């Protein structure tokens, strides 16, 4: 195992490039190392993989951070499907790329999402009408309370919109491996999102070749600054900072996008609410923290930002939306070393 390195700055390990040091950092390159580090350190060990969905306090955190760098992908046929098993530390976008190349359908719309495979079930990562819950076959986890390694079926993950049992109870389990059940096909399922369908020239209800879907998603995400690029500060973000809110139909602001849900609520667009509340693209400090110039939902570090500045801007935006529309925005990233002052 790689040794414990004391007081390592976490900023370079996050896509926001923000945050102070951890008391110690240890790299786990095998499942055994990961399990041993977590169990040995108890509650004071915080797993970190891609760093793409975390907001680390400027003061850092008085804990050991274990970097999840485990690797390994296997594929096995199961009737018309293939079950893909990937170690938690496998970079997600590379896994999507490989599955598309192998003619496996089900995650092609999730191309370009930064971070690790193990992080995808935690917030039930989703984009363009696909979410990880659609294809997840099982998750192998370490139960930190009992020390047992368990294989959880999808229903035990209690997936919801950008949430899961893992997100609701963060200290309970560490994801070790994700198993996905993908369909052997060269064409995707029906493209559900209009923007993507238009990019692919696909009629409603039609699919498109997997590789084309992946390319179209990557092009759309790039245009919005949602594909990591070290030279582009618009991508120095944690992706969407707020989740899209669900409201009762009567509480939907006039003119807001409306996506009715099976439970009778309506999903609306956080980006629309933010813009209508007066926060435009680029709003903020051009050298510190500002809204991305390409996407209203991304708060970005222009190079000299701090986490406290980021939280202050997020607070200002959330307060502005609540005052204007009475809707409470919830942040999507995980806060480490501090809490969302919501
Ligand atoms: P957009 O196309 O500007 O649309 C705004 C919101 O409307 C989206 O967030 C999406 O909700 C919702 N929406 C659009 N068409 C829909 C449909 N046919 N049915 C249901 N809901 C619909 O959104 P965007 O910000 O550019 O993002 C495009 C996609 O990439 C979204 O799915 C988004 O979630 C995903 N994405 C995720 C992240 C992240 O950090 N998690 C970052 C960038 C993009 P949903 O978000 O629920 O899909």
């Amino acid at each position: 195992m790689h040794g414990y390195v004391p007081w390592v700055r976490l900023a370079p390990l996050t896509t926001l490039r923000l945050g102070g040091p951890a008391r110690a950092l240890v790299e786990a390159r095998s499942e055994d190392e990961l399990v041993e580090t977590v169990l040995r350190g108890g509650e004071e060990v915080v797993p970190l993989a891609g760093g793409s969905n975390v907001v680390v306090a400027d003061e850092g955190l008085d804990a050991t951070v274990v970097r999840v760098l485990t690797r390994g992908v296997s594929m096995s046929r199961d009737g018309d499907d293939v079950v893909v098993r990937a170690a938690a530390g496998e970079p997600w976008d590379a896994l999507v790329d490989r599955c598309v190349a192998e003619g496996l359908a089900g995650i092609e719309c999730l191309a370009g999402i930064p971070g690790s495979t193990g992080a995808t079930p935690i917030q039930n990562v989703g984009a363009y009408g696909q979410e990880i819950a659609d294809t997840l076959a099982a998750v192998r986890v370490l139960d930190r309370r009992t020390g047992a390694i368990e294989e959880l079926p999808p229903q035990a993950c209690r997936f919801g919109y950008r949430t899961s049992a893992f997100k609701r109870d963060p200290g309970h389990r560490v994801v070790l491996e994700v198993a996905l059940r993908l369909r052997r096909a060269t064409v995707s399922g029906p493209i559900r999102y209009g923007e993507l369908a238009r990019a692919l020239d696909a009629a409603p209800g039609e699919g498109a070749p997997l590789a084309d879907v992946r390319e179209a998603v990557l092009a759309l995400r790039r245009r919005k600054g949602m594909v990591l690029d070290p030279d582009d500060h618009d991508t120095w973000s944690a992706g969407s900072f707020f989740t899209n809110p669900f409201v009762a139909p009567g509480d939907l602001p006039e003119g807001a996008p409306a996506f009715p849900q099976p439970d009778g609520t309506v999903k609306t667009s956080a980006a629309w609410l933010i813009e209508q509340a007066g926060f435009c693209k680029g709003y903020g400090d051009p050298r510190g923290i500002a809204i991305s110039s390409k996407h209203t939902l991304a708060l970005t570090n222009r190079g000299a930002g701090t986490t406290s500045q980021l939280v202050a801007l997020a607070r200002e935006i959330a307060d502005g939306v609540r005052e204007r529309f009475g809707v409470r925005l919830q942040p999507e990233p995980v806060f480490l070393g501090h809490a969302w002052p919501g």
Side-chain angles (χ1 to χ4, degrees):
M1 183 183 316
H2 291 245
Y4 284 70
V5 182
W7 298 112
V8 175
R9 274 182 66 234
L10 295 175
L13 306 180
T14 71
T15 52
L16 272 164
R17 274 83 158 177
L18 293 177
R23 191 190 331 130
L25 183 82
V26 59
E27 295 185 340
R29 294 182 186 276
S30 72
E31 190 176 297
D32 286 350
E33 288 175 358
L34 178 57
V35 169
E36 190 195 321
T37 307
V38 171
L39 291 182
R40 183 151 29 106
E43 285 178 7
E44 291 194 357
V45 173
V46 176
L48 181 72
S52 59
N53 201 38
V54 290
V55 178
V56 179
D58 290 322
E59 297 71 29
L61 61 159
D62 190 17
T64 294
V65 166
V66 57
R67 287 203 77 198
V68 182
L69 299 174
T70 53
R71 291 286 191 276
V73 177
S74 68
M75 298 188 181
S76 56
R77 289 273 301 259
D78 187 5
D80 288 340
D81 298 335
V82 168
V83 175
V84 177
R85 289 188 165 268
E90 281 289 335
W92 172 254
D93 184 44
L95 184 69
V96 175
D97 189 12
R98 181 166 165 188
C99 291
V100 166
E102 300 264 354
L104 301 177
I107 53 174
E108 56 286 348
C109 292
L110 305 181
I113 292 181
S116 69
T117 300
T120 58
I122 293 176
Q123 65 152 346
N124 186 15
V125 158
Y128 298 103
Q130 280 181 349
E131 57 181 20
I132 205 74
D134 300 336
T135 45
L136 188 114
V139 189
R140 230 154 68 81
V141 297
L142 168 67
D143 185 319
R144 300 176 75 157
R145 293 179 188 148
T146 63
I149 291 176
E150 299 172 330
E151 178 119 336
L152 300 180
Q155 57 274 24
C157 301
R158 295 192 289 118
F159 287 123
Y161 177 70
R162 304 287 186 271
T163 192
S164 70
F166 314 117
K167 187 154 184 183
R168 291 186 197 100
D169 190 3
H172 189 177
R173 301 177 178 108
V174 175
V175 174
L176 302 174
E177 184 187 70
V178 172
L180 303 172
R181 176 177 290 279
L182 302 180
R183 203 165 39 85
R184 278 155 38 83
T186 50
V187 171
S188 73
I191 304 294
R192 291 193 226 141
Y193 276 35
E195 187 185 31
L196 181 58
R198 282 190 295 281
L200 287 160
D201 218 3
E206 259 184 14
L210 294 183
D212 294 0
V213 176
R214 178 177 170 272
E215 284 303 326
V217 166
L218 286 175
L220 287 175
R221 291 186 67 98
R222 257 188 220 108
R223 211 184 301 151
K224 297 174 184 185
M226 290 291 182
V227 176
L228 297 182
D229 175 353
D231 297 326
D232 180 359
H233 283 283
D234 277 333
T235 74
W236 290 31
S237 79
S240 307
F241 196 87
F242 296 104
T243 51
N244 289 321
F246 291 72
V247 296
D251 293 338
L252 185 72
E254 206 185 319
F259 302 100
Q261 302 298 303
D263 65 0
T265 62
V266 178
K267 181 177 76 175
T268 188
S269 162
W272 186 91
L273 296 172
I274 292 168
E275 278 163 20
Q276 298 300 312
F279 303 99
C280 57
K281 294 188 179 87
Y283 180 90
D285 174 354
R287 282 190 293 276
I289 300 292
I291 295 178
S292 160
S293 72
K294 301 190 183 83
H295 198 311
T296 321
L297 215 40
L299 303 189
T300 62
N301 177 5
R302 313 313 295 184
T306 64
T307 300
S308 54
Q309 237 191 333
L310 175 85
V311 173
L313 179 60
R315 194 59 278 169
E316 184 188 345
I317 292 169
D319 288 347
V321 167
R322 204 183 57 227
E323 279 157 26
R324 173 87 173 75
F325 297 113
V327 176
R328 245 174 216 279
L329 291 182
Q330 292 299 334
E332 191 177 291
V334 172
F335 286 66
L336 294 179
H338 59 149
W340 166 242

